[in-house]
Amino acid sequence: MKQFLFLTLISISLFSCNNKAKKQAESNKREYFLPPPTGHHYLAIGDVKLFYRAAGNPKNPTIVLLHGYPSSSHTYRHLIPMLATHYYVIAPDNLGSGYSTHLNPDSTHYTFDLLAEYTQKLVDRLGIKKYVMYMQDFGAPVGYRMMMKDPERIEALIVQNANAYLAGLTEKRQAFFRTAQSDTSAAKHAFLYGLTGADAIINQQYLFDLDSTNVHLQSPDAWTHDLAFLSSEKDREIQVQLFQDYNNNLLAYPTWQKMLREQQPKTLIVWGAKDQKFNANGAKAYLKDLPNATLHLLDAGHFAAEEKTREIASFILSFLDEQEIK
């Protein structure tokens, strides 16, 4: 009998240990971060094909990521999987950028109205009724045009170095945009065209506002990818035409600001404070019209999503959870 009880106790002990080990293994397994895969898609709109990246469950709230110059949805390649576990994430390439169709600029005049029109068509065709809009750089003039048409569709704004205030632009920068529009000389065109070349893209865009402490965070994949889509004269001319149109955005700032004051969208501002093109005063200026906005100034430059991806993802997830967009 004693031997039987002893063996029984050993069996129970072994079973308990095995059970604990199994539960521990299951617990460890649940802690793995396995984001859903990112899909790469084309959507035909007439003769145009718009490329977009998509990840997550379409039944979840949608986040639309709008990219800037000179990039494409590639700029969000690290951010997308960090958000897609909880949200449905869509990141399109603008018409004339990335993998989207590059219509001939000799016969198609590129403006921000045109970019916004096609991006809106993509969102509509995908059946997205409401969405959170993330904007960076060129993404602001595209996104605010979309918001002006139907502000009720925007559940929240995420503003990342996306200017809508003159305070965010130095006098020299404002003059650059004005003269890009008003000066139609061959010399001015050549100057703007030069800004779309390899040296300018690498050193005046991606590395411009970085220092030795964070330059290693900027992957050369970013400009290598961008320059692959700026390899022809016509590709570069598309961006020149957008430079020439950009002053119309400055003229629209008061209208966008009025919309923000009236609509009071839930807003998160995550801004690279080292950005010298769209400086941090532009981030702070939002608070005049959106006093309830959440502002985070990051130790980063213009392409903060490249440098501080995890921090930005954490801010977004926390903010949307607080706003009960989940």
Side-chain angles (χ1 to χ4, degrees):
M1 177 63 75
K2 288 182 179 180
Q3 186 177 13
F4 174 76
L5 289 174
F6 178 72
L7 292 173
T8 301
L9 288 172
I10 290 176
S11 298
I12 292 171
S13 177
L14 289 173
F15 176 79
S16 178
C17 289
N18 289 336
N19 201 33
K20 285 181 180 178
K22 184 178 179 182
K23 286 183 177 180
Q24 184 62 45
E26 290 177 351
S27 176
N28 291 340
K29 200 171 188 178
R30 285 198 295 271
E31 291 176 4
Y32 295 162
F33 177 67
L34 299 173
T38 298
H40 305 83
H41 310 273
Y42 286 94
L43 178 69
I45 299 176
D47 295 331
V48 165
K49 285 186 177 180
L50 293 182
F51 175 84
Y52 67 98
R53 300 167 198 257
N57 187 342
K59 294 181 180 179
N60 290 336
T62 300
I63 302 176
V64 176
L65 307 175
L66 302 179
H67 71 81
Y69 170 84
S71 54
S72 64
S73 60
H74 179 262
T75 200
Y76 299 122
R77 64 199 178 281
H78 299 310
L79 184 61
I80 290 170
M82 295 184 188
L83 302 177
T85 300
H86 303 282
Y87 296 92
Y88 183 49
V89 185
I90 297 290
D93 287 359
N94 284 337
L95 178 71
S97 292
Y99 294 109
S100 288
T101 298
H102 291 217
L103 294 173
N104 190 335
D106 292 341
S107 54
T108 298
H109 185 62
Y110 280 79
T111 65
F112 287 93
D113 284 341
L114 183 68
L115 300 190
E117 177 187 341
Y118 273 96
T119 304
Q120 186 65 69
K121 287 179 179 178
L122 180 139
V123 170
D124 291 345
R125 288 279 299 277
L126 292 177
I128 299 169
K129 303 300 183 185
K130 288 183 175 292
Y131 54 97
V132 175
M133 186 159 63
Y134 182 116
M135 304 175 292
Q136 189 262 344
D137 191 78
F138 274 15
V142 172
Y144 283 129
R145 281 169 170 78
M146 293 166 65
M147 189 175 178
M148 285 288 294
K149 288 192 173 182
D150 197 350
E152 299 301 325
R153 294 177 71 175
I154 308 302
E155 289 194 281
L157 291 178
I158 302 167
V159 178
Q160 189 252 297
N161 298 77
N163 208 49
Y165 294 85
L166 292 180
L169 303 170
T170 63
E171 289 292 337
K172 183 177 180 180
R173 193 71 177 158
Q174 293 178 43
F176 166 77
F177 289 127
R178 284 197 302 271
T179 58
Q181 184 176 55
S182 62
D183 186 347
T184 58
S185 67
K188 188 66 173 182
H189 183 277
F191 171 74
L192 296 174
Y193 186 83
L195 295 179
T196 66
D199 181 69
I201 296 299
I202 296 170
N203 295 305
Q204 295 183 45
Q205 287 293 126
Y206 282 101
L207 302 183
F208 184 70
D209 45 24
L210 303 187
D211 55 36
S212 59
T213 63
N214 59 0
V215 68
H216 69 284
L217 296 173
Q218 180 56 69
S219 170
D221 291 348
W223 61 73
T224 301
H225 186 277
D226 293 351
L227 289 169
F229 294 104
L230 290 169
S231 58
S232 73
E233 290 185 9
K234 292 189 185 301
D235 292 332
R236 295 173 67 176
E237 182 62 30
I238 290 170
Q239 303 305 321
V240 169
Q241 290 185 4
L242 291 170
F243 280 148
Q244 293 169 333
D245 186 56
Y246 200 92
N247 192 56
N248 286 324
N249 300 323
L250 274 62
L251 298 176
Y253 282 178
T255 304
W256 300 348
Q257 294 160 17
K258 181 175 182 291
M259 173 183 64
L260 293 175
R261 284 194 301 274
E262 292 175 351
Q263 297 296 322
Q264 290 296 305
K266 301 171 181 177
T267 302
L268 169 67
I269 305 165
V270 282
W271 201 283
K274 292 181 177 178
D275 189 347
Q276 298 180 46
K277 298 180 184 298
F278 292 164
N279 65 65
N281 290 330
K284 297 171 187 175
Y286 275 94
L287 299 180
K288 294 185 297 184
D289 294 318
L290 298 172
N292 296 319
T294 300
L295 169 63
H296 297 284
L297 294 178
L298 308 175
D299 182 25
H302 189 65
F303 296 95
E306 292 273 2
E307 300 174 62
K308 301 290 184 179
T309 318
R310 288 183 54 168
E311 290 89 335
I312 289 176
S314 179
F315 285 136
I316 292 172
L317 293 172
S318 296
F319 173 78
L320 295 181
D321 188 58
E322 291 168 2
Q323 301 299 325
E324 298 186 345
I325 300 174
K326 53 188 175 179

